[in-house]
Amino acid sequence: MDQPKIERLLRLMKLLTLPVNYTVDEIADKLEMSRRTVYRYIDTLKGAGFAVARIGNSFHMLKEDSRFNDIEQLVHFSEEESYMVNALLDALDDTNMLKQNLKRKLASVYNSTSLADCVVKKENVANTHELIRAIEEQQQVVLRNYASSNSGDVRDRVVEPFAFTTNYIQVWCYEPESGMNKQFRISRIGAVEKCKEKWQHSDKHRSEKSDIFRTGGTEGTNLKLKLGVMAKNLLLEEYPLAERDLTQIDGEHWLLNTIIYRPAGAGRFIIGLANDIEIIEGEKVKEYLRDFTKKHLGGIIS
């Protein structure tokens, strides 16, 4: 199937998810195609497993029990993925038709101009969207059969979800039982069930911020690193958000000037590239590296 046909099929899918029952003639007019083509595309959707209902003689719509409710739920982007997509698009000349087509098509699929909704693995999609809706509606939820790595138990947890981590692997929740704000890993949640109760403790909701190395905290400290070519390249490959905090010093060196919340993330990166990185500022990272070297490398070297 060539690109124009794929685009028309996607537009048809979006049209059929709207809370409006269109006739075949109306669909054909909106998509600028023949009635015969409309029927052929609907058959294609049916063949792919989507539940398309026919109402009367001429109305078609996707049933509520279809594989999705909104097209934007099919694909999700993390903050890093969103940054890379936008950076790639911005790098193209404004007159480039490919750039214009990509922006137009993304805008036609997503209600929001931001692509950074959430990043989820296929098996976590349903739970993630339940959490998103619970946050929007400020409702308590039950995390069914949550498998805790700290306590080692598997049980239900009543919580008030209020924020996601930067990469959306975890969700921040206030747990009334313990009276604490905690991170819950979405992959360890059996199911998410919304409660009738609204948030009761919103004044106690507190989440940590995340740095480019994906470590979180409440108080940040400054870190300045002088990077060689290899370190710069690997930094951007592993932590794409770092590009915002990079400036080029000369043809072979870059300065990373960023805020970190815990030294472990940056420390682990520096250890692997010690010969290509100079720490200009960052006492907490230096202390972490001294302790790490003494604890883990001392025995190996001796």
Side-chain angles (χ1 to χ4, degrees):
M1 183 178 289
D2 57 30
Q3 184 172 333
K5 291 181 180 179
I6 294 174
E7 181 181 355
R8 287 197 295 270
L9 183 60
L10 288 173
R11 290 170 61 198
L12 173 61
M13 291 171 68
K14 182 176 182 180
L15 200 63
L16 292 175
T17 63
L18 297 176
V20 179
N21 296 332
Y22 291 108
T23 67
V24 172
D25 287 333
E26 288 172 334
I27 293 173
D29 181 62
K30 288 179 177 294
L31 301 184
E32 299 180 349
M33 62 177 67
S34 67
R35 287 169 51 90
R36 182 177 179 180
T37 301
V38 172
Y39 281 117
R40 187 170 68 249
Y41 281 5
I42 288 175
D43 288 339
T44 299
L45 292 176
K46 288 181 178 180
F50 292 100
V52 182
R54 179 164 181 161
I55 303 175
N57 295 322
S58 56
F59 293 86
H60 295 78
M61 62 178 291
L62 292 176
K63 292 181 179 178
E64 292 182 356
D65 61 351
S66 180
R67 291 186 180 180
F68 61 93
N69 294 321
D70 295 296
I71 289 178
E72 65 260 27
Q73 293 183 6
L74 291 176
V75 182
H76 305 282
F77 293 85
S78 68
E79 183 181 0
E80 289 179 336
E81 290 170 334
S82 172
Y83 181 83
M84 292 182 70
V85 169
N86 287 313
L88 289 170
L89 288 177
D90 289 339
L92 296 174
D93 188 89
D94 286 335
T95 60
N96 189 307
M97 286 304 300
L98 176 61
K99 177 177 181 176
Q100 301 304 321
N101 288 338
L102 283 170
K103 284 193 170 183
R104 176 171 54 82
K105 291 174 182 177
L106 287 171
S108 72
V109 172
Y110 288 89
N111 293 328
S112 172
T113 55
S114 172
L115 300 181
D117 278 339
C118 58
V119 58
V120 293
K121 292 183 178 180
K122 183 177 179 180
E123 61 270 21
N124 298 330
V125 169
N127 287 342
T128 301
H129 280 282
E130 283 299 315
L131 290 167
I132 290 173
R133 283 190 283 270
I135 292 173
E136 291 174 349
E137 298 168 11
Q138 298 187 1
Q139 287 184 287
Q140 291 186 354
V141 300
V142 180
L143 306 182
R144 296 293 184 191
N145 298 318
Y146 183 77
S148 172
S149 60
N150 294 325
S151 62
D153 62 352
V154 179
R155 64 183 180 89
D156 295 344
R157 314 285 280 268
V158 177
V159 298
E160 296 180 358
F162 58 87
F164 290 94
T165 57
T166 300
N167 52 9
Y168 292 87
I169 291 177
Q170 297 171 309
V171 59
W172 274 103
C173 301
Y174 177 80
E175 186 180 46
E177 178 185 353
S178 63
M180 298 174 60
N181 291 298
K182 298 181 178 181
Q183 287 182 344
F184 293 89
R185 188 171 288 269
I186 296 176
S187 61
R188 296 175 184 161
I189 301 172
V192 177
E193 181 180 313
K194 285 196 293 184
C195 304
K196 294 181 180 180
E197 293 78 8
K198 293 287 187 178
W199 289 348
Q200 305 294 320
H201 310 277
S202 58
D203 59 320
K204 298 179 181 178
H205 295 179
R206 299 287 187 276
S207 62
E208 296 181 348
K209 297 179 180 179
S210 295
D211 56 38
I212 63 171
F213 296 100
R214 307 189 188 107
T215 59
T218 55
E219 296 184 7
T221 58
N222 202 54
L223 175 67
K224 290 184 181 180
L225 303 177
K226 183 178 180 181
L227 310 175
V229 176
M230 180 183 294
K232 186 269 294 187
N233 289 341
L234 290 177
L235 176 70
L236 294 181
E237 289 175 8
E238 294 184 29
Y239 308 104
L241 289 179
E243 185 175 1
R244 299 182 300 192
D245 300 330
L246 270 179
T247 55
Q248 190 164 3
I249 300 173
D250 53 43
E252 297 182 350
H253 298 93
W254 284 259
L255 175 68
L256 175 68
N257 187 357
T258 191
I259 299 295
I260 62 170
Y261 295 99
R262 288 195 178 95
R268 287 191 293 264
F269 176 78
I270 294 171
I271 288 171
L273 295 159
N275 62 337
D276 203 36
I277 296 177
E278 177 186 345
I279 302 176
I280 299 175
E281 181 180 335
E283 288 304 315
K284 287 191 176 181
V285 170
K286 290 181 180 179
E287 183 179 349
Y288 171 87
L289 293 174
R290 285 192 290 266
D291 292 343
F292 183 93
T293 302
K294 182 178 180 180
K295 181 178 180 180
H296 298 286
L297 301 183
I300 296 176
I301 297 173
S302 60

